[in-house]
Amino acid sequence: MTDATRPGRPAYMPPPQRFDPELEQTILVTKAEWLIDWCRKSSIWPLGFGLACCAIEMISTAMTRFDLSRFGAEVFRATPRQADVMIVAGTVTHKMAARVRRLWDQMSSPKWVIAMGACTVGGGPYFKYGYHIVKGVDKIVPVDIYLPGCPPRPEALIEAIMRLQELMHARGYLLNGKDPGYTPPEKGSRQAVKDGLSPADPWTTEQARKHDDKKRAAEEEQARKKAEAAKKKAEDAARKKAAEEQAAAEEKAAEEKAAEAKPAAEEKAAPAEEPETGKPVEPPAEPPREEPE
Amino acid sequence: MSERWPPAAALEEALPDAVEEVSEEGPHKFVRVRADQIVKAARILRESCGVDMLHQVSGVDYEDRFEVVYHFARVKSDPGFVCLKVSVPRDNPVVPTLAHDWATANWGERETWDLVGIRFEGHPHPYRIMLPEDWEGHPLRKDYEFPTDYHGIDCTE
């Protein structure tokens, strides 16, 4: 559902219902769901959680000059258990990744994540090719709002908070903060490169090639071992079969010998039984019909 | 040359066997000493040249060898730097620790172990300082292989 007055954006307020103008001054008629969402989006409690330089901008946003409290989001909490929104402000390293994930796990649902700055969006302008960088915080936690910039201006963070408020209304209380159309970002962007959906990056390609080579080598090794084992098994089976066949052949030969000896004995006894089936029994001759006189 | 560089002269006088190379050219002078004599050399610097601070310990990978570079400083009087270098073979990079004489060496040597993989014998706490404890390899080595996956997080992107 989109708002007609602001195309492309989700409507977060139900269309006004016309009542008696005097009544409208004092009474607001709406859905409970809408009211809960309105409360929720008007009192966002972010997690006070900064990782790098973006945190300075986040602090600045909360202070008097930019005054985030105008949008109801000024109560930065020092514990994840009291927070709604995690603003991941700064570079996420592999050492920090587990902590970020744990903080997110400790937040009570419904919860939202804003990836603030280039580092959390996709690894960053400086460190992306570093050995210690998580290339985008969406590899660890689901992200609702991506906020690019290095670092983003406080106005940009305010914009992100306002978009998040719209999102909170669009998704709604009954959906428990989850967008029904939301699917977590695909991990296999290498696949995207392969499919030609995103341009190939030389470094990425190189790493992917190394990774694939390693994997292929391991697979080949495994296949070789498997084939060897199968071959050995087949050889064993063939040997066993050959031995069995030989045994069977010997047995058969012995049986044939015995059988040859037996018919000879039977033949001798056979002629005595012969006469019974000798000549066909002739039907008794019909007495000639007497001609009627 | 009118005058020797005092630290080099002091080291050559006290440890003639240990000094491998002296470079007094240019702005960055250094003395290269034998790896097993680095503790003694540092003590001589402190006693005879007034060096009272270890600024940093760093490791360099030259592909055929490793080097540990120590930057000492004189801060109380006549400020200045003294640089000591130590070469160690690549297959067994071990250097005696300075952590017992110079408190700053403790973390510097841990960092050098963490990133370049040079062991410091006798270090009181010879573990990684910056990377996670279960990290594999030493990233600032020239032959370091980038991880493709760390705890299920794809690193190849």
Side-chain angles (χ1 to χ4, degrees):
Chain A
M1 193 171 77
T2 51
D3 192 336
T5 57
R6 298 178 312 151
R9 293 199 180 186
Y12 63 87
M13 205 156 159
Q17 293 176 20
R18 309 313 300 181
F19 293 105
D20 181 1
E22 265 185 39
L23 209 59
E24 271 187 18
Q25 300 292 319
T26 48
I27 296 176
L28 172 71
V29 180
T30 182
K31 290 189 286 187
E33 186 188 347
W34 182 89
L35 186 68
I36 291 168
D37 285 342
W38 178 80
C39 296
R40 179 166 280 155
K41 72 150 202 188
S42 308
S43 61
I44 296 175
W45 286 16
L47 181 61
F49 171 53
L51 296 176
C53 23
C54 280
I56 304 298
E57 298 295 308
M58 187 174 72
I59 294 160
S60 168
T61 313
M63 296 312 292
T64 45
R65 185 180 176 90
F66 296 97
D67 198 12
L68 195 57
S69 59
R70 289 176 296 159
F71 306 95
E74 84 280 18
V75 197
F76 277 83
R77 304 315 292 179
T79 162
R81 303 197 189 274
Q82 296 173 354
D84 298 307
V85 176
M86 186 159 84
I87 303 173
V88 187
T91 319
V92 184
T93 59
H94 280 304
K95 200 174 181 178
M96 195 66 195
R99 279 82 169 171
V100 173
R101 176 70 198 200
R102 175 173 289 191
L103 285 173
W104 185 80
D105 282 341
Q106 284 177 340
M107 284 164 66
S108 52
S109 193
K111 52 194 170 186
W112 292 270
V113 176
I114 296 177
M116 180 182 181
C119 296
T120 49
V121 170
Y126 314 120
F127 323 112
K128 190 181 175 189
Y129 300 130
Y131 52 89
H132 61 305
I133 295 297
V134 177
K135 284 137 188 105
V137 76
D138 54 10
K139 290 188 182 299
I140 316 168
V141 294
V143 175
D144 298 284
I145 303 280
Y146 291 90
L147 171 57
C150 187
R153 291 272 313 164
E155 295 92 328
L157 182 57
I158 291 172
E159 167 93 23
I161 295 270
M162 291 167 76
R163 293 284 181 97
L164 184 69
Q165 288 175 332
E166 287 176 7
L167 205 68
M168 285 174 168
H169 246 299
R171 293 187 188 169
Y173 166 72
L174 291 179
L175 293 169
N176 203 17
K178 289 193 187 79
D179 181 357
Y182 175 80
T183 44
E186 285 223 346
K187 271 187 94 179
S189 57
R190 284 170 58 200
Q191 193 60 42
V193 171
K194 265 185 207 163
D195 296 347
L197 296 175
S198 63
D201 182 317
W203 192 88
T204 303
T205 316
E206 177 64 15
Q207 293 305 312
R209 195 184 57 73
K210 271 188 192 171
H211 188 73
D212 288 349
D213 282 354
K214 239 185 210 173
K215 210 172 157 189
R216 199 179 312 119
E219 275 172 7
E220 274 170 13
E221 177 70 16
Q222 212 170 358
R224 199 178 58 73
K225 275 184 186 167
K226 211 175 171 184
E228 237 169 51
K231 204 179 162 191
K232 208 179 166 192
K233 208 176 168 187
E235 273 174 10
D236 281 355
R239 210 174 297 136
K240 211 175 167 187
K241 205 179 171 187
E244 269 176 12
E245 268 175 12
Q246 205 179 340
E250 276 170 14
E251 210 172 290
K252 208 178 174 185
E255 259 178 29
E256 272 173 14
K257 233 178 188 178
E260 266 173 31
K262 210 176 173 186
E266 271 174 9
E267 256 173 49
K268 279 177 196 165
E273 293 164 21
E274 198 81 13
E276 266 189 39
T277 53
K279 293 162 198 165
V281 179
E282 277 176 22
E286 238 176 79
R289 257 188 214 164
E290 281 171 15
E291 293 283 322
E293 285 175 11
Chain B
M1 187 181 275
S2 56
E3 217 176 292
R4 292 297 311 276
W5 184 36
L11 283 173
E12 278 188 343
E13 194 194 332
L15 297 168
D17 298 342
V19 177
E20 288 176 342
E21 184 190 351
V22 179
S23 167
E24 298 184 39
E25 304 291 317
H28 194 237
K29 302 167 181 175
F30 67 85
V31 181
R32 189 193 303 282
V33 296
R34 254 172 46 204
D36 51 349
Q37 298 292 315
I38 180 67
V39 180
K40 272 187 196 168
R43 271 185 201 154
I44 286 158
L45 286 186
R46 173 144 70 181
E47 282 155 12
S48 60
C49 305
V51 165
D52 48 13
M53 185 176 178
L54 174 58
H55 249 263
Q56 67 163 8
V57 182
S58 46
V60 191
D61 184 359
Y62 281 109
E63 310 228 18
D64 58 334
R65 66 183 194 281
F66 287 127
E67 245 171 44
V68 187
V69 185
Y70 300 87
H71 280 93
F72 293 92
R74 198 164 46 214
V75 288
K76 280 180 186 153
S77 62
D78 186 20
F81 277 97
V82 182
C83 175
L84 287 188
K85 289 190 182 180
V86 163
S87 289
V88 284
R90 247 196 102 107
D91 51 350
N92 184 27
V94 184
V95 183
T97 181
L98 291 186
H100 301 297
D101 289 1
W102 307 80
T104 45
N106 192 319
W107 281 18
E109 288 178 354
R110 278 178 70 188
E111 187 179 344
T112 310
W113 157 248
D114 196 357
L115 299 177
V116 193
I118 298 165
R119 274 200 299 121
F120 290 90
E121 208 151 37
H123 194 282
H125 192 70
Y127 303 110
R128 290 189 182 273
I129 188 169
M130 292 197 279
L131 290 169
E133 283 160 20
D134 58 352
W135 195 266
E136 283 173 19
H138 304 282
L140 295 193
R141 284 191 177 185
K142 293 278 166 66
D143 59 355
Y144 178 67
E145 262 189 41
F146 276 71
T148 51
D149 179 280
Y150 178 73
H151 284 242
I153 302 168
D154 184 15
C155 305
T156 54
E157 220 165 277

